[in-house]
Amino acid sequence: QMCIRARPLPAPDTLVTIMTDGFRWGGPLMWRRIVDGGWLGTTYWTNSMIHGPDVSTGTWVPVLPADGEYDVYAYIPEEHSVANCVYKIGHTSGLAEVVIDQSLFGDEWVYLGCWDFTAADSPFVYLGDSTGTSGENIAVDAVVWRTHIVGVAERKLPEKPEISVYPNPFNSSVNIRVQGFEGSRVQMRIYDINGRNVANIPVREGLVPSRETGDHKGRPYETVWTPDESIPSGIYLVRVDVGGITATKRVAYLK
């Protein structure tokens, strides 16, 4: 199947990123690099290998709203996207393979094709490192399942939330602010570089003028994180969930 570019992407039925419950990383942590970039501010990369079996793998498992045909897109970040990769799509009729040369894309959605999916059959997209030329970088980011509808006007994905942290690095406490969404359900968590949840912190809501209308419709959320004494210096990920969309930001803690 021909792979086409799509940016911005129409609104998804199911968006699975590397920071949501539907993503599974396989392999030792030493093979996973966590860097800035990607669809929601954080992306993974690993090295490709010529020979199998896979050592590092990424698997995206959606919770689809209904059975049916879905268009599938993968997000290719600008950095660490070099290898010629094989995406494997588990669908109702079996397993399909789509070859993507990640070096041809940068910060854009790539169309992997359209298949029929049955939610109860645990559909997935899988990417392993036994592909391409040994030593090239494979980028691992987000995958979207979108209902395949012909002749209906397409909508855009919601804009990414804007997260700011200051000061960064910090040595006692850090201010965290997120905006770009309207809604009341906001969750904020802190993870260490190995993916362990080290803190769940409350947020408070404030009102600022909307960028579009000038009135008070935009709602930023802000809080302060003060690590307790048991938390060591290091790099941490601030994860914010707003209205079903997840964003992350890296921050350095120096005691």
Side-chain angles (χ1 to χ4, degrees), residues 187-236:
Q187 293 180 323
M188 189 176 295
R189 301 179 177 90
I190 308 296
Y191 293 85
D192 67 15
I193 200 67
N194 294 318
R196 291 187 292 263
N197 183 195
V198 300
N200 298 320
I201 54 181
V203 296
R204 61 183 178 85
E205 181 180 340
L207 295 177
V208 298
S210 167
R211 288 175 294 179
E212 292 77 20
T213 65
D215 56 22
H216 287 70
K217 292 183 178 179
R219 295 175 179 266
Y221 295 80
E222 58 186 57
T223 191
V224 175
W225 178 43
T226 302
D228 60 41
E229 294 182 357
S230 66
I231 295 179
S233 298
I235 302 298
Y236 291 87

Side-chain angles (χ1 to χ4, degrees), residues 166-176 223-227 251-254:
Y166 56 94
N168 188 15
F170 73 99
N171 59 17
S172 59
S173 63
V174 60
N175 299 282
I176 305 168
T223 191
V224 175
W225 178 43
T226 302
V251 62
Y253 175 40
L254 304 176

